[in-house]
Amino acid sequence: IDSSTKQIANLLKINPKEVIYTSGSSESNNLALKGICDKYSNRGKHIITTSLEHSSIYGPLDYLIDKGFTVDFVKLDEYGRVDLNDLEKLITDDTILVSINAVNSEVGILQPIDEIANIVHKNKKCFFHSDMTQAIGKINIDIKNVDLVSFSAHKFFGIKGIGVLIKKDTINLTDEQKNKLKQIFLTE
């Protein structure tokens, strides 16, 4: 595991401490969205996403809506890419999370991740998550401006049942989410 973690960290140019193993992208997405919102809800309760996300994003968002969060869907241009002007307009002082996939799993639309990250990070209270399941191992992508990245090994000929959440070392998830992770790994 340590060797794999170092290899992942070297390939993605991140700190090995930022690698969290999960059972797949769905669990990584769930952990990222719920973990950020549980921990940082005192900063705001507004989330932005797109209409092109995987169902593993919409499930946690439904849960968070039931917990009092609001979700807006950013407009897309004629090519299915995020309308950056609309994204900038949607971000308010209450926005704590933007979750946009890097590559759509159905039609392969590539989103302008660096440009999105630059807009998101103008709001110092806001985090940027990207489901990169269809990107990692397939395209050259730089994740340095993304706070949380989800992906699954089986999408690039890795072992099924292995997912990863890359979480910047400066970001914390709630104790509840951390305890769920510990339970998963202690029971296996």
Side-chain angles (χ1 to χ4, degrees):
I1 292 174
D2 289 341
S3 174
S4 295
T5 302
K6 287 177 187 172
Q7 186 177 19
I8 291 167
N10 287 335
L11 288 169
L12 297 177
K13 299 177 180 88
I14 60 169
N15 183 332
K17 292 180 189 176
E18 297 176 335
V19 177
I20 299 171
Y21 292 103
T22 65
S23 64
S25 295
S26 294
E27 184 178 8
S28 295
N29 289 336
N30 196 7
L31 178 61
L33 274 62
K34 288 180 181 177
I36 287 294
C37 290
D38 286 347
K39 179 70 177 177
Y40 297 101
S41 63
N42 62 326
R43 294 183 179 188
K45 290 196 165 208
H46 179 237
I47 303 164
I48 299 170
T49 192
T50 76
S51 59
L52 292 177
E53 301 304 308
H54 188 268
S55 61
S56 64
I57 295 294
Y58 299 134
L61 289 178
D62 285 343
Y63 167 86
L64 291 165
I65 289 168
D66 288 344
K67 296 289 183 187
F69 287 82
T70 59
V71 177
D72 278 323
F73 291 84
V74 65
K75 291 178 187 173
L76 304 173
D77 68 16
E78 66 226 12
Y79 304 106
R81 292 170 47 123
V82 167
D83 179 329
L84 299 174
N85 291 325
D86 188 49
L87 176 62
E88 200 152 17
K89 289 176 191 170
L90 285 175
I91 295 175
T92 68
D93 194 46
D94 198 42
T95 308
I96 63 164
L97 180 64
V98 174
S99 182
I100 297 173
N101 62 27
V103 178
N104 176 267
S105 63
E106 299 294 325
V107 292
I109 298 168
L110 273 75
Q111 296 296 344
I113 294 300
D114 280 336
E115 295 170 69
I116 292 168
N118 289 336
I119 292 169
V120 170
H121 290 137
K122 287 179 185 177
N123 177 343
K124 301 296 181 201
K125 299 186 319 182
C126 193
F127 298 97
F128 179 36
H129 166 259
S130 184
D131 180 346
M132 293 195 178
T133 303
Q134 300 298 335
I136 300 288
K138 298 174 185 175
I139 63 171
N140 187 14
I141 192 157
D142 187 351
I143 66 169
K144 73 176 180 268
N145 291 327
V146 184
D147 300 308
L148 302 124
V149 172
S150 304
F151 65 93
S152 186
H154 78 276
K155 292 294 184 175
F156 49 89
F157 308 107
I159 300 170
K160 287 187 179 189
I162 302 294
V164 173
L165 174 63
I166 305 295
K167 178 192 69 67
K168 296 241 176 175
D169 201 31
T170 56
I171 296 172
N172 294 309
L173 300 176
T174 64
D175 291 335
E176 177 184 341
Q177 297 300 322
K178 286 182 196 174
N179 288 336
K180 285 181 185 177
L181 277 176
K182 286 178 187 172
Q183 288 174 339
I184 290 165
F185 290 107
L186 292 177
T187 57
E188 292 181 354

